[in-house]
Amino acid sequence: MSGRNTVIRSLHDLGLAAWFGGSLMGAVGLNGAARQEGGTQTTQARIASAGWTKWMPVSAAAVAAHLYGGGGLLAVNAHRVCSQKGVAGTTTAKTVVTAAALAATAYARVLGKKIELASSPDPQDTEKAAKHPIDTAKAQRQLACVQWAVPALTGSLVVLNALHGEQQRPLEQLHGMWEHARAVTPLLP
């Protein structure tokens, strides 16, 4: 079957773990602390924005590691995707959920940056915010929703990874390949 792919599997899994864990901690811990300690909505937005801005490079690296590892795993397991029944379906599901998680992460960053500019005491930020005015309350409501979508979607990826792991068991591979062969060749029992 397949050989060891420790490096790309580690990049895939560690990247996803950081993406999931960081987004969940931010939604629960960072945003909760900002609400508790911030006082005014502007101060709360500043505190949360400062924390998310510090996290962003780590998050970007985690997402990149996950995507690189995922691409590598897809390349080395292409034969299983084609020949083992069920693997193509879970691979497609993982791809769709990953795309949705990427979109939610990007949208959260866009909304967060808008809120950051609108709440900043820096005159340059205020000037930038004036050029592109936003409804801050609406953006904060949208951000509150999308920040929960990211851990929900990445958590779903963790579950799909567990399913992929189960599909890699030797008996599962044998059964999946037999079922695929039966579907392709209708004369097999």
Side-chain angles (χ1 to χ4, degrees):
M1 300 288 168
S2 63
R4 290 183 179 234
N5 307 110
T6 306
V7 173
I8 59 173
R9 189 176 304 282
S10 296
L11 287 171
H12 176 268
D13 293 352
L14 288 171
L16 180 57
W19 191 8
F20 169 72
S23 64
L24 184 61
M25 193 290 297
V28 174
L30 177 59
N31 293 345
R35 278 191 302 277
Q36 181 178 328
E37 301 298 323
T40 68
Q41 279 195 330
T42 301
T43 306
Q44 291 173 14
R46 285 181 192 155
I47 292 169
S49 292
W52 283 109
T53 298
K54 294 280 187 188
W55 173 248
M56 202 242 345
V58 177
S59 178
V63 170
H66 174 68
L67 293 176
Y68 183 82
L73 287 174
L74 184 58
V76 299
N77 289 301
H79 67 284
R80 285 186 52 240
V81 174
C82 295
S83 64
Q84 184 180 344
K85 187 173 176 128
V87 175
T90 55
T91 300
T92 301
K94 280 180 63 174
T95 302
V96 169
V97 174
T98 300
L102 284 169
T105 300
Y107 189 54
R109 181 62 185 144
V110 168
L111 289 171
K113 191 65 176 171
K114 288 180 178 182
I115 293 167
E116 179 184 336
L117 289 174
S119 64
S120 176
D122 185 346
Q124 289 178 331
D125 288 345
T126 305
E127 187 178 310
K128 288 179 189 175
K131 289 180 184 176
H132 306 285
I134 66 160
D135 180 348
T136 307
K138 181 180 175 184
Q140 287 176 327
R141 284 191 306 274
Q142 290 173 333
L143 184 59
C145 291
V146 79
Q147 282 180 333
W148 283 104
V150 176
L153 290 165
T154 53
S156 297
L157 286 172
V158 171
V159 172
L160 288 168
N161 284 342
L163 178 57
H164 257 189
E166 292 296 315
Q167 290 174 329
Q168 286 185 316
R169 291 178 177 205
L171 285 177
E172 284 291 318
Q173 287 186 32
L174 183 62
H175 177 73
M177 288 178 191
W178 175 254
E179 289 301 318
H180 176 74
R182 283 185 57 204
V184 175
T185 312
L187 299 177
L188 289 176

